[in-house]
Amino acid sequence: MIKLEPFEKANFHQLISWIDNEEHLMQFSGPAYTFPLTNQQLLLNSEDKNKFSYKVIESATHLVIGDAEIHLNTKNIAILCRIIIGEKNFRKQGLGQEIVKQLLHISFIGLACKKAELNVYDWNTDAIRCYKKAGFTLNQLKTRKQVVNNKTWTVLNMNIDKNKWKN
C-alpha cells in the first residue's frame, strides 16, 4: 500500500534523479518541463496555487517511491498529472492504480471537483489499463500529437465524472 503526502523541496533531488532523458521527462510531465529537469523548474511549479503535488510513500518501508500531481484548471476540473513510480523495483505491482484512486479521492472529496481528466501517450498501454480500471474513459475529441526527439507521439485524453467514480 501507499500513501500520498505533500511534495517538498527536499524531494526535488530524488525526482530529478528518476528522469534520465528527454523522452522519460516528456512521458512524465508532457511539455510542462524541459530536459534536464531542474530545481528551478520544480520550484516554479510548486509556487502555483492551483497545483497540488504529492510524494508517493510505500507504507511498509516508508520509502518515497514516486510522485503525482493534481492541477485545478479554470473550470474546477482536476487534471491528474506527473504520475510516476520512480523506484523501478516498485513498478508493475498495481501501485499506480492506488495512486490514481487516492488522487481521485482528493479531487472529488477534498477539492470538490465534479470531473477529473488526464493525458496519456497511446503507446503507454500499462498506464491506459490502470486508468481504465480506475473508471476513466477515452475522450476522442481531445486527442493530439506531440513531437519528441523527431518522433510523433499521440496524446490521448481520458476523463471521469464524480458521479461515475467509485469511492
Side-chain angles (χ1 to χ4, degrees):
M1 296 303 292
I2 55 102
K3 61 182 176 176
L4 302 182
E5 291 183 359
F7 183 74
E8 302 163 327
K9 290 179 189 176
N11 305 115
F12 286 7
H13 177 72
Q14 185 173 33
L15 175 57
I16 290 169
S17 75
W18 292 330
I19 308 297
D20 55 4
N21 62 59
E22 185 176 353
E23 289 183 1
H24 195 198
L25 179 63
M26 186 63 70
Q27 178 184 356
F28 162 67
S29 70
Y33 298 128
T34 57
F35 188 79
L37 186 58
T38 63
N39 286 339
Q40 185 63 28
Q41 291 178 77
L42 294 173
L43 184 61
L44 285 172
N45 187 67
S46 71
E47 292 172 349
D48 187 331
K49 302 299 181 211
N50 290 319
K51 293 181 180 176
F52 302 87
S53 297
Y54 302 93
K55 57 186 171 186
V56 179
I57 300 171
E58 199 276 329
S59 298
T61 62
H62 304 288
L63 286 174
V64 176
I65 62 164
D67 290 281
E69 186 173 295
I70 299 169
H71 176 207
L72 289 183
N73 73 9
T74 56
K75 297 177 184 175
N76 203 38
I77 295 172
I79 300 170
L80 309 190
C81 52
R82 298 184 237 322
I83 300 169
I84 184 172
I85 304 271
E87 294 296 331
K88 293 177 183 176
N89 55 331
F90 286 94
R91 294 179 184 165
K92 303 215 184 266
Q93 297 180 21
L95 298 176
Q97 190 167 354
E98 183 60 31
I99 293 168
V100 171
K101 284 181 185 178
Q102 290 188 33
L103 290 173
L104 288 173
H105 186 268
I106 293 166
S107 299
F108 293 141
I109 304 302
L111 300 173
C113 294
K114 300 290 184 208
K115 183 177 182 179
E117 66 178 48
L118 53 81
N119 293 316
V120 61
Y121 295 107
D122 66 343
W123 51 261
N124 194 347
T125 55
D126 288 341
I128 293 168
R129 189 170 25 260
C130 168
Y131 303 144
K132 284 183 176 180
K133 283 182 183 178
F136 281 85
T137 58
L138 285 172
N139 178 356
Q140 302 289 353
L141 301 176
K142 286 183 101 174
T143 299
R144 63 181 170 81
K145 303 291 183 187
Q146 178 75 45
V147 177
V148 181
N149 287 336
N150 298 318
K151 299 175 203 162
T152 301
W153 292 0
T154 301
V155 180
L156 304 177
N157 180 269
M158 300 180 80
N159 60 52
I160 184 172
D161 291 321
K162 183 178 181 178
N163 61 359
K164 293 185 179 178
W165 169 63
K166 296 173 183 144
N167 188 358

